[in-house]
């Protein structure tokens, strides 16, 4: 028995080492930022680690990591209305080797603990969830009808849940102009100290950012104002057409700037933040079409913009989109943005890398690499593209790893786990996680070359 166990351990070690070797191009020496595939967690996928009898990754939509790095939380908002999947939020413990293991879940999925508002069980509370953030000992997920809050245990497991804004519970007053299901694909972000959260909500005709002050002990959120366009009860930003669609909201590390990304018209709006009060004021924007009087870049890289990421030093903002990744130089004093180029296949960009839609973008903590989760229009393949970053923030394509494009990308082995690309997590310079968003859901782990 002992010999068998030892043999199995050595077999696993050799297989892991071989996987890393095969992840790099033949004859090429790995450079800083290059990725090596480690494993995928999914449900009954050949070549992947089987998640088990309970699958809370079914139609996963967003992921985040606890501030201390020990737990990853994934929210799955169900399948958009067919009734074949229920929403859930799950916790994955992260070990010393960066591997993730499912430790629990809450929601409507059979086998998960139910979500509650007081004594009322609401299995669909997370329906259509699109964003999740971890702040201190709490986790918050957003839906078109709620901001659902969860307390966590000391070990990171989900403990209890509570309602912070929801039409089905009355412990928090309604947010101005924001009625359930009037907006979709909400995005939530939090300051580094966890004091303030900002909710970006938009529809085809209106949009706003809501400032929510957080009580550190209870996790409850209190409304502290909002700014936007055409949203009753919110301070107008003075422009129209730049905050009327889903996208992203990201805070600079210094806490002085919030950037709102809107897919339509392909814009980035700069909101300056008062660090003392947390209040916001619009001070500028960049738009692919010039909508709202915004500055217009010389290329179409912001077309159908999806997500954004800021470098740790705060000198660059990168925006993913249908045609590539756009680089906006950031003034580290006042937060203002200036177009500095794009890479991809949008008109005017430097054509390189996979020809597909960049669904998300992430910057490595050491600032040396930018990564994009990319997929083709028909979602037949997906990959993580590595974009090497120069001292001025400019990007150079450095390869990709994924599935379905063997002539272009190094293949990971499992299939059907990256063809619907989702968010990227870059929690440390040595690891990257990619979320697969599809009917089974998947979490893929990659090692990152650091020297």
């Amino acid at each position: 028995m002992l010999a068998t166990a030892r043999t199995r351990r050595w077999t696993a070690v050799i297989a892991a080492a071989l996987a890393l070797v095969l992840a790099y191009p033949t004859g090429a020496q790995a450079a800083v930022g290059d990725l090596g595939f480690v494993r995928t967690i999914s449900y009954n996928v050949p070549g992947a680690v089987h998640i088990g009898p309970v699958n809370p990754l079914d139609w996963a939509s967003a992921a985040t990591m606890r501030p201390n790095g020990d737990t990853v939380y994934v929210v799955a908002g169900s399948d958009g209305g067919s009734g074949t999947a229920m929403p859930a939020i799950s916790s994955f413990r992260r070990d010393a080797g960066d591997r993730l293991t499912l430790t629990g879940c809450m929601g409507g999925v059979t086998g998960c603990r139910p979500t509650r508002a007081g004594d009322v069980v609401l299995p669909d509370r997370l329906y259509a969830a699109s964003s999740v953030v971890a702040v201190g000992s709490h986790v918050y997920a957003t839906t078109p009808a709620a901001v659902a809050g969860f307390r966590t245990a000391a070990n990171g497991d989900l403990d209890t849940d509570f309602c912070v804004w929801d039409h089905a519970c009355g412990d928090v007053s309604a947010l101005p102009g924001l009625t359930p299901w009037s907006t979709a694909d909400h995005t939530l972000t939090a300051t580094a100290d966890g004091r303030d959260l900002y909710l970006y909500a938009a529809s085809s005709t209106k949009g706003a950012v809501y400032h929510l002050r957080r009580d550190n002990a209870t996790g409850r959120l209190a409304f502290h104002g909002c700014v936007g366009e055409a949203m009753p009860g919110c301070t107008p930003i003075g422009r129209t057409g730049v905050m009327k669609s889903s996208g992203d909201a990201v805070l600079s590390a210094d806490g002085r700037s919030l950037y709102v990304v809107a897919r339509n018209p392909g814009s980035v709006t700069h909101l300056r933040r008062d660090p003392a009060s947390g209040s916001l004021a619009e001070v500028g924007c960049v738009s692919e079409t010039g909508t709202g009087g915004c500055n217009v870049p010389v290329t179409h890289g912001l077309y159908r913009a999806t997500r954004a990421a800021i470098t740790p030093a705060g000198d660059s903002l990168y925006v993913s989109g249908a045609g590539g990744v756009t680089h906006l130089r950031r003034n580290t004093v006042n937060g203002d943005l200036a177009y500095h180029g794009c890479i991809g296949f949008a008109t005017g960009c430097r054509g390189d890398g996979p020809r597909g839609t960049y669904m998300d973008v992430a910057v490595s903590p050491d600032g040396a690499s930018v990564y994009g989760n990319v997929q083709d229009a028909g979602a037949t393949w997906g990959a993580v593209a590595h974009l090497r970053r120069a001292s001025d923030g400019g990007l150079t394509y450095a390869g990709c790893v994924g599935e379905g494009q063997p002539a272009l990308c190094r293949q990971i082995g499992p299939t059907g786990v990256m063809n619907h690309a989702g968010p990227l997590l870059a929690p440390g310079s040595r690891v990257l996680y990619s979320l697969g968003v599809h009917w089974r859901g998947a979490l893929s782990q990659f090692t990152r070359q650091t020297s």
Side-chain angles (χ1 to χ4, degrees):
M1 292 294 290
L2 182 60
T4 301
R6 185 180 295 114
T7 300
R8 289 173 179 168
R9 283 197 298 271
W10 275 109
T11 300
V13 170
I14 294 171
L18 183 60
L20 292 179
V21 171
L22 292 177
Y24 298 114
T26 302
Q29 183 176 359
V32 172
D34 287 346
L35 298 177
F37 174 68
V38 178
R39 66 175 193 162
T40 293
I41 302 173
S42 192
Y43 185 77
N44 283 335
V45 173
V49 176
H50 180 51
I51 194 171
V54 178
N55 181 25
L57 290 180
D58 197 2
W59 289 96
S61 52
T64 191
M65 179 171 286
R66 198 153 79 142
N68 66 7
D70 70 349
T71 308
V72 169
Y73 301 98
V74 180
V75 67
S78 84
D79 58 355
S82 72
T84 60
M86 289 293 288
I89 182 170
S90 52
S91 55
F92 291 81
R93 190 73 38 76
R94 182 181 176 211
D95 67 17
D98 300 312
R99 293 178 295 271
L100 302 177
T101 302
L102 176 67
T103 57
C105 56
M106 296 180 72
V109 174
T110 301
C112 296
R113 288 177 293 133
T115 50
R116 300 173 179 272
D119 294 329
V120 180
V121 175
L122 296 168
D124 60 349
R125 171 166 300 284
L126 293 169
Y127 184 75
S130 57
S131 180
V132 60
V133 297
V135 185
S137 59
H138 300 93
V139 178
Y140 303 88
T142 61
T143 80
V147 176
F150 297 83
R151 297 183 185 90
T152 62
N155 63 2
D157 287 346
L158 296 164
D159 185 8
T160 58
D161 68 308
F162 56 95
C163 174
V164 293
W165 171 70
D166 189 310
H167 69 289
C169 64
D171 62 341
V172 173
S173 60
L175 301 179
L178 200 56
T179 56
W181 304 106
S182 64
T183 54
D185 290 336
H186 292 182
T187 299
L188 196 64
T189 188
T191 54
D193 61 7
R195 187 191 71 170
D196 296 314
L197 278 72
Y198 296 93
L199 171 69
Y200 172 46
S203 68
S204 60
T205 59
K206 59 185 179 181
V209 177
Y210 293 83
H211 174 202
L212 306 171
R213 179 63 54 82
R214 174 178 171 270
D215 182 281
N216 187 58
T218 66
R220 301 288 175 175
L221 304 179
F223 172 65
H224 270 246
C226 56
V227 297
E229 60 171 279
M231 192 69 81
C234 296
T235 301
I237 62 172
R239 303 177 190 271
T240 58
V242 296
M243 292 175 61
K244 63 175 187 176
S245 68
S246 60
D248 200 8
V250 294
L251 277 160
S252 58
D254 60 14
R256 295 181 180 274
S257 295
L258 176 71
Y259 301 96
V260 174
V261 177
R263 185 184 300 264
N264 180 21
S267 63
V268 180
T269 300
H270 176 201
L271 302 173
R272 192 161 291 149
R273 176 178 177 268
D274 183 328
S277 66
S279 61
L280 302 171
E282 189 268 334
V283 292
C285 59
V286 180
S287 171
E288 189 238 348
T289 60
T291 298
C294 299
N295 293 331
V296 184
V298 296
T299 69
H300 293 275
L302 290 177
Y303 174 69
R304 294 183 63 81
T306 53
R307 303 287 294 260
I310 301 178
T311 55
D315 58 350
S316 293
L317 176 76
Y318 297 97
V319 184
S320 56
V325 174
T326 294
H327 173 208
L328 301 173
R329 289 287 294 177
R330 178 177 180 270
N331 186 312
T332 56
V333 176
N334 60 23
D336 289 349
L337 301 174
Y339 174 77
H340 202 260
C342 63
I343 187 169
F345 289 90
T347 302
C349 295
R350 183 160 56 114
D352 212 343
R355 187 180 289 272
T357 296
Y358 282 77
M359 304 303 295
D360 194 19
V361 63
V363 182
S364 61
D366 62 8
S369 301
V370 173
Y371 299 98
N373 242 6
V374 59
Q375 67 181 41
D376 77 323
T380 59
W381 60 266
V384 176
H386 175 204
L387 306 173
R388 190 162 286 121
R389 186 171 179 268
S391 58
D392 66 352
L395 302 177
T396 302
Y397 177 63
C400 59
V401 57
E403 60 167 271
Q405 286 281 293
L408 179 66
C409 302
R410 304 190 302 276
Q411 298 297 287
I412 63 172
T415 58
V417 294
M418 295 183 68
N419 56 322
H420 284 72
L424 289 170
L425 291 176
S429 293
R430 67 184 187 185
V431 65
L432 182 83
Y433 300 107
S434 172
L435 183 66
V437 180
H438 56 90
W439 65 272
R440 284 176 298 206
L443 263 172
S444 295
Q445 177 191 341
F446 300 87
T447 56
R448 180 176 179 274
Q449 188 74 17
T450 57
S451 61

